[in-house]
Amino acid sequence: MSDEIIQIETPFQFNEENKREFDELIGRYPVKEAAMLPTLHLAQKQAGYISPAVMKYVAELLELTVMKVKDVVTFYPMFFEEPVGKYVIRVCHTLPCALRDCKVVLEHLKAKLGTDIALETNLAKGTTDDGKFTLMKVECLASCDVAPVIMVNDDLYKNLTPEKVDEILAQLPN
Amino acid sequence: MVQERRILYEHLDTPNINTYDVFRQHDGYTRFEKAIAEYQPEEIADMVKEAGLKGRGGAGFSTGEKWSFVPRDIEPRYLCCNADESEPGTFSNRYVLEKNPHLLIEGILICCYAMGIETTYVYIRGEFTLGKKMLDAAIKEAYEQGYLGENVRDTGLNINIYTHPGAGAYICGEETGLIESLEGKRGQPRNKPPFPAVQGVFMKPTVVQNVETLCNLPFIVGNGVEWYTQMGPTYGDARFDPPKADPNTGTKLYCISGDVNEPGVYELDLGLTCTELIEVAGGLRGEEVKAVIPGGSSAPILTHYELDTRLDFTSLTLAKSMLGSGGIIVMNETRNIVDCLLNIMKFYAHESCGQCTPCRWGTPWVRDIVQRIADGDGRQTTITRPKFGVTESGRWGDTGETEEIYEDLDLLENVANNIANVDTMTWNTICVFGIAVSWPAVSYMRKFRPEFEAAIREGKLVTLPVAEATVPPEENYAYQQRIIPKEFADL
Ligand SMILES: Cc1cc2nc3c(=O)[nH]c(=O)nc-3n(C[C@H](O)[C@H](O)[C@H](O)COP(=O)(O)O)c2cc1C
Ligand code: SF4
């Protein structure tokens, strides 16, 4: 596949720390390609989302075509191809959470943030205008005993009620 | 009441058990040391086989047997620890990773020693950020203490463990999907054979094992096979002469959620009944049990008539369900089964990897059928069709009766059975995700048919009382065909 289809705006590069981490990562696998997921996670942590520039950079690092990287990025729900809010709120809505009223939590979040729910193909739909939050529904987060649960970026919050959601949102740094 | 027997979870709440020092104080790594001091690798593999350990990740396949398929003359061999835990209703691995990661490392060490493996990848689902952090920290400590790295504890063994994050795809829990994902590709399962034991990650022999399975190894080695086999039932298969022993030994980390008062993980001997487990989990929240999902959302549902089924691999298989990952979801009388099925089908429609046509198109199709039933648009046809039978004159012929057909229910069963047929247990797909779709779809519909019919007839979701919603045992296909296994000792 030709790489030219992808418009590259500003080139992307790992910062010092991530470069070091990447160098350590790559030694773990007999083939470079296997470092794909950890590398993409690192890149997303730095860039916020996987832009075409990031894909190009990762492809060069792993000696693959850009299409190969895009192929992988599109498969996994945790990689974003568009900018997302500073805080990504993932609301679990699979059966055990549904049995414990995750709908109430979701509706509350929607009203409170004044946004819709993001679609995997349209993240902007669930992102607040100030770019602070992205609200998404996700499948089982493996915490069914403390349902309903949400994740705010990397942190899990348990046994939620609308009041608890308010508290959590209030204590997030700006 | 059945008592909890905490073995894997014994020290879960001990403060700082995640650090090497505290873990060491509680016998940490002594079992690995015992293994290398007292046993040859092959002996460990034999012990695991004799102990009857079955995989805790889903398939329930004998671990010792799986190890015996691995060719020992091909180098290198790999171990992949499956910490992808994404089956709805399952959450026991998470606590091991977050609270007692050294136990997993010890299990991995024993497996590596037994199989002559030098490299282990722990595939952790992307959302387990805390679990990965804790495990990474523990691995670092283990390197410092000389349990990992080159020449482990002066034995000449080289063992490395690396964690590898997933990125939110359920199908990467399937062993070949996991392998593809580990190799840096889309997590699309491979055709089998060749099985991973022969050609797995990087096309080398690979052992794929769940976290809980590996955590059992230190205790089998430490306390011996005899001690281990005392826990849980050993059934006998009388079709063989002499009867063949079918062990369901050890404890299981039962994850119970939904309508119970104290949801959580309970470590109990295999083989207790559904009713007993609900009692252990603080009893039912509500008046009556309507349904129980016994092994993660992929397992066929059990009705209140089937609550005496023992929760172990053999009993549940013979009851036409499965223990799977041991995620038990309880539903009380207020739940609507159509609504529950809709939720589960949305999950599967989202998670299909899209390789096989029956799964890629069939799963959303099943979801759409359930969706329109739930929305009140379910299709019902009333027709007069020649219903053949014995007529009044005593001859075989057209009885002239009018039949009411629930077109959508027939369609639902048809589509689901064409992804994977639950009656013949054959599937038209690459991986058994197909079965995981059609099992719930068909079993919910057949066992709670009155509720589905009511939704179509009334044009809205109707939650019937438990007795009315459930198909009686005489008409319940699974209940009719179920077999209660016999204890080996009784044969
Ligand atoms: C669709 C699907 C999803 C699966 N998800 C998981 C999972 O999340 N965790 C797991 O340990 N096994 C999962 N399995 C089972 C694995 O394929 C495999 O049987 C297991 O990891 C083997 O380890 P064990 O023998 O220790 O159980 C899944 C299987 C299928 C078909
Ligand atoms: S059955 Fe479904 S999930 Fe499995 S390989 Fe085929 S398309 Fe993918």
Side-chain angles (χ1 to χ4, degrees), chain B residues 124-140:
Chain B
I124 304 188
R125 68 178 291 188
E127 290 89 343
F128 282 2
T129 34
L130 178 61
K132 181 166 181 296
K133 205 173 98 192
M134 300 307 269
L135 183 61
D136 276 334
I139 290 174
K140 193 158 165 271

Side-chain angles (χ1 to χ4, degrees), chain B residues 393-410:
Chain B
S393 58
R395 289 201 192 157
W396 186 259
D398 180 3
T399 55
E401 273 174 38
T402 311
E403 257 195 310
E404 211 174 54
I405 295 178
Y406 293 91
E407 193 187 334
D408 264 352
L409 297 189
D410 288 358

